[in-house]
Every structure is written in C-alpha cells, then in structure tokens.
Amino acid sequence: MSNQPVQTVSTSNDKVKVALAVLVAIAGVVGFYYLSDKPALVRAGALVAGLAIAVLLLWTSTSGREFLNFAKESVRETKKVVWPTRKEATQITAIVFAFVLVMAVFLWGADKLLEFLLYDVILGWKNK
C-alpha cells in the first residue's frame, strides 16, 4: 500500500454519471412519495429500484469505484480494532459516572460558595 496520495482527474463522463445517479436516487425518493395511494410494496419497490439504479450508475464511475474501495478498507480497519470486554466497558462507564457526580457536587459547592460570598459578604444581602 502506497503512502503517497494518487490524485485522479475525473472526466466529464464520470461527472455526468454521478449527476445522473443523484437524479435517479432523487427520482426514487420522489416516486416513493408520489405513489402514496399505491400499496406499500409498490412504493418500496420504486424507492429500492431508484436507489439500486443509482448505485449501479455510481459503480461504473471512477469516483464510485474509489468510494467502494474506501468502504471496503474502512470495514477492514474496523476489524482490526480491539474492542473492550463487557467488564471493561462497565468499569469505564462507572468511572465516567463517578467523575460526573464528583464534578456536579464540586460545581454545586463552588456555586453556593460564590453565592454566599457575593450576596452575603460583599453586597450584604441576606439570601432567603
């Protein structure tokens, strides 16, 4: 795997394919809402057909293939992640909750101290 980025110049043909794919996807969504009086299966079919055709159009473009390669590599990278065990996740969550509780008590105490100093000591107003 090369560490140097490779910049490709997309042709106008690729731009047309991407624009057409976007329009077909929008048409599928519009068709889904336009066919509101039809059965749900027909509406879903229009949506799925529009999205499937859009994906096929994107597949034939250079940017679509690059996105597909990016998605495959992303999945490969997530498989390399070492996820915490349930016990570790529970412990980390408990630490976060304890920290939030301590900070809440600290901020409440700081607020009450400042309230006392400002209203009772400096201004001389008695807080009721």
Side-chain angles (χ1 to χ4, degrees), residues 3-127:
N3 289 335
Q4 298 176 353
V6 176
Q7 187 173 2
T8 59
V9 178
S10 61
T11 64
S12 60
N13 191 20
D14 280 344
K15 291 179 183 177
V16 169
K17 287 178 184 178
V18 170
L20 190 59
V22 169
L23 289 176
V24 169
I26 291 172
V29 172
V30 168
F32 177 81
Y33 288 106
Y34 182 74
L35 299 172
S36 62
D37 57 337
K38 303 293 182 196
L41 189 60
V42 173
R43 294 176 68 202
L47 177 65
V48 169
L51 294 177
I53 293 170
V55 167
L56 289 175
L57 281 170
L58 279 176
W59 185 289
T60 62
S61 70
T62 304
S63 55
R65 285 190 299 273
E66 287 174 359
F67 177 75
L68 181 64
N69 288 335
F70 172 76
K72 285 180 182 177
E73 217 166 293
S74 296
V75 169
R76 194 172 324 136
E77 286 297 320
T78 56
K79 290 180 181 179
K80 294 179 184 177
V81 173
V82 179
W83 299 101
T85 64
R86 182 175 181 90
K87 181 181 177 185
E88 291 170 339
T90 305
Q91 289 173 345
I92 292 169
T93 304
I95 290 170
V96 169
F97 277 121
F99 179 75
V100 167
L101 182 64
V102 168
M103 284 304 296
V105 170
F106 170 75
L107 291 174
W108 175 80
D111 179 53
K112 290 300 174 186
L113 177 65
L114 289 173
E115 179 184 347
F116 169 74
L117 290 174
L118 182 65
Y119 288 114
D120 292 347
V121 176
I122 295 173
L123 295 175
W125 301 346
K126 294 295 177 193
N127 202 4

